[in-house]
Amino acid sequence: MFNSPHSGRAYPADFLAASRLDERAIRRSEDTYVDELFLSVVPLGAPLMRAHFPRAWLDVNREPYELDPGMFDGELPPYANIRSMRVAGGLGTIARVVSENVEIYAQPLQVAEALDRIEGVYKPYHAALDALLQTTRQRFGFAVLVDCHSMPSSVRTAPGRIRADFVLGDRYGASCAPEIAETAASILTGLGYTVARNKPYAGGYITEHYGRPAEGLHALQVEINRGLYMNERNFQPTGEFIRVAADIVAFVRQLSELPDGGLWPVGLAAE
């Protein structure tokens, strides 16, 4: 199954009113059109889950309570994770900044507002995602989650190296069987793209949380270079969008042909 947690483009009016950013600037952290690029997986028989709410409003690729106490008016609950690296960077469950460290809010946010987003949207989103994965595993004996994202074209995999077209993240081998990541990289390379593994994106909370290969649950994060398919200044798709979408169809078709012998839970595979 496929998931696009950062492609939401429905910005609540009260959120925009509370922000110090204009409607274009606030979209900088958005994975624009990623859900549409992967929409073709549905006719192939794979479910696609996608967020309609924006990442700047609520990030479901974080722990449920990764919150920065400095951006709230009021005291956070004691179970909040206030010391994670993502919180320090301003990109917690409720983000403080968009890309390039641009502050979102003009005034401190009420704690109750943050908790309402988590209880009312974050938790139902993950409940639905988990249910789809469990249903898939029950039906087939295992499940593969492809978590779909995009990255700025300026991102480099290492100093001085060329910009990758795709970055595949499997938490350095911890979130999926090696055959999945290796096959995915081989397919994309065969389609003419440059591919990096785990650097600079090894996979976020979703990949880490749901990727449990020993239990037959595999998760792979896919980051697509936005410069391949869109104009990053005006957020419009380019003429290459159709080609990239067609290549993703080919990618999904070939990845689905991967022999499943190594994807079953350890206990079942040994029987």
Side-chain angles (χ1 to χ4, degrees), residues 67-80 82 109-115:
L67 301 171
D68 181 352
M71 63 179 290
F72 295 103
D73 182 8
E75 187 173 344
L76 292 174
Y79 47 81
I82 64 174
L109 189 65
Q110 296 296 317
V111 170
E113 169 64 21
L115 298 181

Coordinates of all heavy atoms in Angstrom, one line a residue, residues 67-80 82 109-115:
L67 N 6.5 18.1 20.5 CA 6.0 19.4 20.6 C 7.0 20.3 21.2 O 7.7 20.0 22.2 CB 4.7 19.5 21.4 CG 3.5 18.7 20.9 CD1 2.4 18.6 21.9 CD2 3.0 19.2 19.5
D68 N 7.2 21.6 20.7 CA 8.1 22.5 21.2 C 7.4 23.5 22.2 O 6.5 24.2 21.9 CB 8.6 23.4 20.0 CG 9.6 24.4 20.4 OD1 9.9 24.6 21.6 OD2 10.2 25.0 19.5
P69 N 7.8 23.4 23.5 CA 7.1 24.2 24.5 C 7.3 25.7 24.3 O 6.4 26.5 24.7 CB 7.8 23.8 25.8 CG 9.2 23.2 25.4 CD 8.9 22.6 24.1
G70 N 8.3 26.1 23.5 CA 8.5 27.5 23.3 C 7.5 28.2 22.4 O 7.4 29.4 22.3
M71 N 6.7 27.3 21.7 CA 5.8 27.9 20.7 C 4.3 27.9 21.2 O 3.4 28.3 20.5 CB 5.9 27.2 19.3 CG 5.5 25.7 19.4 SD 5.6 24.9 17.8 CE 4.2 25.7 16.9
F72 N 4.1 27.5 22.5 CA 2.8 27.4 23.0 C 2.5 28.3 24.2 O 3.4 28.6 25.0 CB 2.5 25.9 23.4 CG 2.5 25.0 22.2 CD1 3.6 24.2 22.0 CD2 1.4 24.9 21.4 CE1 3.6 23.3 20.9 CE2 1.4 24.1 20.3 CZ 2.5 23.3 20.1
D73 N 1.3 28.7 24.3 CA 0.8 29.5 25.4 C 0.1 28.5 26.3 O -1.0 28.0 26.0 CB -0.2 30.6 25.0 CG -0.7 31.4 26.2 OD1 -0.2 31.2 27.3 OD2 -1.6 32.2 26.0
G74 N 0.7 28.1 27.4 CA 0.2 27.0 28.3 C 1.2 25.9 28.5 O 2.3 25.9 27.8
E75 N 0.9 25.0 29.4 CA 1.8 24.0 29.7 C 1.5 22.7 28.9 O 0.3 22.3 28.9 CB 1.8 23.7 31.2 CG 2.8 22.7 31.7 CD 2.9 22.6 33.2 OE1 2.3 23.5 33.9 OE2 3.4 21.6 33.7
L76 N 2.5 22.1 28.3 CA 2.3 20.9 27.6 C 2.1 19.7 28.6 O 2.6 19.7 29.7 CB 3.5 20.6 26.7 CG 3.7 21.5 25.5 CD1 5.0 21.2 24.8 CD2 2.5 21.4 24.5
P77 N 1.4 18.6 28.1 CA 1.3 17.5 29.0 C 2.6 16.8 29.3 O 3.6 16.9 28.5 CB 0.4 16.5 28.2 CG 0.5 17.0 26.8 CD 0.7 18.5 26.8
P78 N 2.8 16.2 30.4 CA 4.1 15.6 30.8 C 4.6 14.6 29.9 O 5.9 14.3 29.8 CB 3.9 15.1 32.2 CG 2.4 14.8 32.3 CD 1.8 15.9 31.5
Y79 N 3.8 13.9 29.1 CA 4.2 12.9 28.2 C 4.7 13.4 26.8 O 5.1 12.7 26.0 CB 3.1 11.9 27.9 CG 1.7 12.5 27.6 CD1 1.4 12.9 26.3 CD2 0.8 12.6 28.6 CE1 0.2 13.5 26.1 CE2 -0.5 13.2 28.3 CZ -0.7 13.6 27.0 OH -2.0 14.2 26.8
A80 N 4.6 14.7 26.6 CA 5.1 15.3 25.4 C 6.6 15.1 25.2 O 7.3 15.2 26.2 CB 4.7 16.8 25.3
I82 N 9.6 16.8 24.2 CA 10.0 18.2 23.9 C 11.5 18.3 23.5 O 12.0 19.4 23.3 CB 9.7 19.1 25.1 CG1 10.5 18.7 26.3 CG2 8.2 19.1 25.4 CD1 10.4 19.6 27.5
L109 N 0.8 29.6 20.1 CA -0.4 28.8 19.9 C -0.9 28.2 21.2 O -0.1 27.9 22.1 CB 0.0 27.7 18.9 CG -1.1 26.8 18.3 CD1 -2.0 27.6 17.4 CD2 -0.5 25.6 17.5
Q110 N -2.2 28.1 21.3 CA -2.8 27.5 22.5 C -2.5 26.0 22.5 O -2.7 25.4 21.5 CB -4.3 27.8 22.6 CG -4.7 29.3 22.7 CD -4.2 29.9 24.0 OE1 -4.3 29.3 25.1 NE2 -3.7 31.1 23.9
V111 N -2.2 25.5 23.7 CA -1.9 24.1 23.8 C -3.1 23.3 23.4 O -3.1 22.2 22.8 CB -1.5 23.7 25.3 CG1 -1.5 22.2 25.5 CG2 -0.1 24.3 25.6
A112 N -4.3 23.8 23.8 CA -5.6 23.0 23.5 C -5.7 22.9 22.0 O -6.2 21.8 21.6 CB -6.7 23.8 24.1
E113 N -5.3 23.9 21.2 CA -5.5 23.8 19.8 C -4.6 22.7 19.2 O -5.0 21.9 18.4 CB -5.1 25.1 19.2 CG -4.9 25.1 17.6 CD -6.2 24.8 16.9 OE1 -7.3 25.0 17.5 OE2 -6.1 24.3 15.7
A114 N -3.3 22.6 19.7 CA -2.4 21.5 19.3 C -3.0 20.1 19.7 O -3.0 19.2 18.8 CB -1.1 21.7 19.9
L115 N -3.5 20.0 20.9 CA -4.0 18.7 21.3 C -5.3 18.3 20.5 O -5.5 17.1 20.3 CB -4.3 18.7 22.8 CG -3.1 18.9 23.7 CD1 -3.5 18.9 25.2 CD2 -2.0 17.9 23.4

